[in-house]
Amino acid sequence: MRGINRVTLVGNSGKEPEYKLLEDGTPVAKIALATTETFRLKNGEPQSHTDWHTIILWRGLAGLAKEYVKKGSLLYIDGKLRNRHYEDKEGARKYVTEIVAEQMILLDKKGQE
């Protein structure tokens, strides 16, 4: 059976995108995206919880992020979940979970900045 790896998020950018060109000239951008869930406790008191997600955008999407995404931008992101690991300077293994975006839609109202 085939698996499905699909992530859809709507949230706000926490800061300006980090944009760079790799050695081979491939553009890549990284966005910190906040999603906030609001709910009520049994006593009726409102509660909210914010999760932060690392979004990776390649090539054309990276260019769009560089040009149009600002701190606070409301974004729709559709992509795939990726897990990877690396070793830090002390040799300890670190694990990272990221969303590799396949689609990004800016949801800010026109003229809003």
Side-chain angles (χ1 to χ4, degrees), residues 11-85:
N12 295 91
S13 174
K15 58 183 178 178
E16 303 288 318
E18 295 175 26
Y19 177 88
K20 66 180 177 180
L21 293 174
L22 301 180
E23 288 181 16
D24 66 358
T26 304
V28 62
K30 181 165 72 169
I31 298 173
L33 189 78
T35 56
T36 301
E37 176 185 10
T38 303
F39 53 93
R40 292 199 179 273
L41 299 174
K42 287 182 180 181
N43 65 6
E45 182 182 330
Q47 188 77 28
S48 65
H49 174 78
T50 300
D51 284 305
W52 287 92
H53 313 275
T54 301
I55 312 298
I56 305 297
L57 304 110
W58 292 95
R59 300 174 184 79
L61 286 179
L64 287 173
K66 177 185 175 192
E67 178 102 13
Y68 297 108
V69 174
K70 307 293 181 224
K71 180 179 179 179
S73 292
L74 183 62
L75 304 173
Y76 167 94
I77 301 288
D78 186 63
K80 295 180 181 181
L81 196 62
R82 288 284 184 251
N83 295 300
R84 63 183 178 84
H85 60 83

Side-chain angles (χ1 to χ4, degrees), residues 85-95:
H85 60 83
Y86 66 94
E87 288 189 11
D88 67 11
K89 295 175 186 173
E90 290 79 37
R93 184 172 270 203
K94 301 289 185 175
Y95 294 88

Side-chain angles (χ1 to χ4, degrees), residues 1-15:
M1 176 175 197
R2 289 183 139 176
I4 296 174
N5 183 352
R6 177 68 49 223
V7 176
T8 302
L9 299 170
V10 175
N12 295 91
S13 174
K15 58 183 178 178

